């Protein structure tokens, strides 16, 4: 029986597109969640946006959806046929990732000790550095767990346990974005490569569980007991408060048609780990490009990020290229284990992180956490395999000579 991705980049992009770009507008015009924390400030900013700017926002946003899907379908001109998905044969490298799990567990113990003051603490007291380390660790656990899941082999219990413990600890620190990313990665796997693929009912139940976890952590951040209204508010507050950067941008700036993407280009300097050398001072921020806006909670809406970097027309073509590249990655994933893992990892950030974090963070995820760091670890495993093979060859050669 032939199988394909049931949930892929097209569906996940559509979810994030609606959730992050239209939910804030709907909340703004309907005055929803009145009286909840931060909503008066949000409505105050929303009321200051000129009507012509709101209309421009809607037109530009509506152009992005056909741009993304046009890019997706443009790639089909090069590869019109999809290949059936199947688990990849086990290899020394895929089995060797069990040893990586032991090393990651050691790192988990170290990070847990470093973060001990943030665990089970109030959201207002969290250590951003410690939580960032734990978030990166969860990403690496996700990668190598997925590397084994898409292979015909027994999955390491150490990898499973390490992933779950890291996710729980991160939730206790008030972090939910990377845990939800883990949910999405597992959802894509269970609706693609998994031998026993989920039914529609299982998909819905899993999605409900993920939303419940996300809303519960949101109320935990608020320091209040969970109920339906607070849970719904904690979910909707994510795109609404992320939109602060867009609302204040529309109030204070003209919308460029085309722009030079200084922020996008210099964000690649962040791929170099700060422990080696820091290029942070050379990264041009979006405010450094001459635009004024506010993001009091730290998140940058993808709308203001894209428009500042590329302009209203330039962002259309950037989304076209993004859709093209996502379909290209999906095509690669159909017959290559590494690219299958990479594609699913990218899908994991598509509905949330892609729409609420700037290029400084997203590009580091795409090109360092998902690509360069795992490749480096896999290369080390290859060298270990080569060394072991060389040792065994020499050992048996000497034994043969001695026997003769």
């Amino acid at each position: 029986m032939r199988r394909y991705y049931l949930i892929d980049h097209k569906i996940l992009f559509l979810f994030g597109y609606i959730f992050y770009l239209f939910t804030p507008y709907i909340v703004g015009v309907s005055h929803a969640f009145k009286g909840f924390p931060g909503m008066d400030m949000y409505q105050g900013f929303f009321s200051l946006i000129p009507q012509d700017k709101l209309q421009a926002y809607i037109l530009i946003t509506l152009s992005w959806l056909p741009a993304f899907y046009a890019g997706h379908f443009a790639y089909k001109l090069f590869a019109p046929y999809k290949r059936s998905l199947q688990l990849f044969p086990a290899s020394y490298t895929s089995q060797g990732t069990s040893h990586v799990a032991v090393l990651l567990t050691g790192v988990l113990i170290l990070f847990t000790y470093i973060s001990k003051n943030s665990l089970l603490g109030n959201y207002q007291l969290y250590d951003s550095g410690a939580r960032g380390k734990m978030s990166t660790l969860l990403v690496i656990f996700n990668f190598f767990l997925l590397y084994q899941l898409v292979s015909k082999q027994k999955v390491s219990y150490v990898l499973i346990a390490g992933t779950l413990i890291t996710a729980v600890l991160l939730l206790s620190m008030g972090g939910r974005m990377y845990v939800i990313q883990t949910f999405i990665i597992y959802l894509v796997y269970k609706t693609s490569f998994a031998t026993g693929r989920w039914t529609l009912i299982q998909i819905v139940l899993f999605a409900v569980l993920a939303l419940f976890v996300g809303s519960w952590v949101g109320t935990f951040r608020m320091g209040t007991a969970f109920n339906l209204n607070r849970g719904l508010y904690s979910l909707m507050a994510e795109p609404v408060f992320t939109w602060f950067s867009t609302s204040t941008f529309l109030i204070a700036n003209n919308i460029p048609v085309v722009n030079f993407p200084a922020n996008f280009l210099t964000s690649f300097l962040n791929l170099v780990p700060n422990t080696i050398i820091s290029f942070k001072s050379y990264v041009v921020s979006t405010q450094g490009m001459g635009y004024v806006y506010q993001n009091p909670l730290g998140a940058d809406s993808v709308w203001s990020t894209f428009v500042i970097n590329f302009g209203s027309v330039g962002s259309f073509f950037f989304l076209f290229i993004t859709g093209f590249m996502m379909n290209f990655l999906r095509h690669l994933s159909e017959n290559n284990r590494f690219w299958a893992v990479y594609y699913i990892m990218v899908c994991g950030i598509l509905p949330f992180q892609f729409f609420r974090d700037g290029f400084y963070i997203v590009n580091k995820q795409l090109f360092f956490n998902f690509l360069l760091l795992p490749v480096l670890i896999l290369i080390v495993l290859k060298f270990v395999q080569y060394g072991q093979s060389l040792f065994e060859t020499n050992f048996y050669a000497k034994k043969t000579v001695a026997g003769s």
Side-chain angles (χ1 to χ4, degrees), residues 43-289:
Q43 291 295 347
F45 282 132
F46 190 86
S47 65
L48 294 176
I49 303 174
Q51 192 62 34
D52 62 323
K53 294 286 187 63
L54 273 178
Q55 291 174 355
Y57 171 83
I58 293 296
L59 290 174
I60 293 169
T61 304
L62 288 175
S63 74
W64 285 5
L65 196 62
F68 182 83
Y69 287 118
H72 166 86
F73 288 111
Y75 181 75
K76 292 179 72 68
L77 298 175
F78 299 91
Y81 302 108
K82 293 188 290 185
R83 289 171 288 204
S84 180
L85 302 176
Q86 56 184 345
L87 293 174
F88 299 96
S91 66
Y92 178 91
T93 306
S94 66
Q95 293 173 339
T97 53
S98 295
H99 302 304
V100 176
V102 177
L103 295 176
L104 292 178
T105 301
V107 176
L108 172 59
I109 294 171
L110 175 63
F111 283 1
T112 302
Y113 176 77
I114 294 174
S115 310
K116 60 183 182 298
N117 295 328
S118 299
L119 300 177
L120 299 175
N122 194 305
Y123 175 63
Q124 284 76 20
L125 302 178
Y126 84 94
D127 181 345
S128 61
R131 200 172 86 174
K133 289 181 176 63
M134 198 69 77
S135 299
T136 301
L137 180 61
L138 181 58
V139 169
I140 303 304
F141 264 119
N142 285 340
F143 185 95
F144 288 106
L145 177 59
L146 191 55
Y147 201 85
Q148 290 195 347
L149 285 173
V150 300
S151 305
K152 295 178 181 177
Q153 67 178 75
K154 187 176 180 180
V155 179
S156 166
Y157 288 115
V158 178
L159 265 178
I160 296 173
T163 303
L164 292 175
I165 292 171
T166 306
V168 171
L169 292 177
L170 193 54
L171 285 174
S172 77
M173 299 168 73
R176 58 181 176 176
M177 188 59 59
Y178 288 84
V179 178
I180 293 296
Q181 185 182 127
T182 304
F183 272 93
I184 297 167
I185 289 167
Y186 191 66
L187 175 63
V188 175
Y189 160 73
K190 289 297 290 185
T191 55
S192 57
F193 284 94
T195 303
R197 293 207 295 180
W198 279 351
T199 63
L200 179 60
I201 293 177
Q202 290 172 308
I203 294 172
V204 171
L205 290 176
F206 188 76
V208 170
L209 174 63
L211 291 174
F212 172 77
V213 170
S215 61
W216 179 82
V217 173
T219 57
F220 173 74
R221 286 179 171 184
M222 295 164 59
T224 60
F226 178 85
N227 63 34
L228 184 60
N229 285 338
R230 293 194 190 105
L232 185 60
Y233 162 76
S234 71
L235 288 177
M236 295 299 104
E238 166 63 27
V240 167
F241 293 160
T242 297
W243 209 71
F244 269 125
S245 63
T246 293
S247 61
T248 53
F249 171 84
L250 291 172
I251 293 169
N253 305 274
N254 293 320
I255 300 173
V257 176
V258 177
N259 219 358
F260 179 76
N263 168 252
F264 170 74
L265 294 175
T266 59
S267 69
F268 288 97
L269 294 174
N270 192 40
L271 299 185
V272 180
N274 291 329
T275 52
I276 298 176
I277 184 171
S278 178
F279 286 107
K280 191 173 182 179
S281 60
Y282 298 100
V283 177
V284 179
S285 67
T286 44
Q287 288 99 330
M289 292 178 65

Side-chain angles (χ1 to χ4, degrees), residues 386-401:
Y386 175 76
Q388 182 179 342
S389 175
L390 190 62
F391 172 81
E392 291 175 351
T393 300
N394 291 335
F395 176 79
Y396 286 116
K398 291 178 180 178
K399 190 174 181 181
T400 301
V401 171

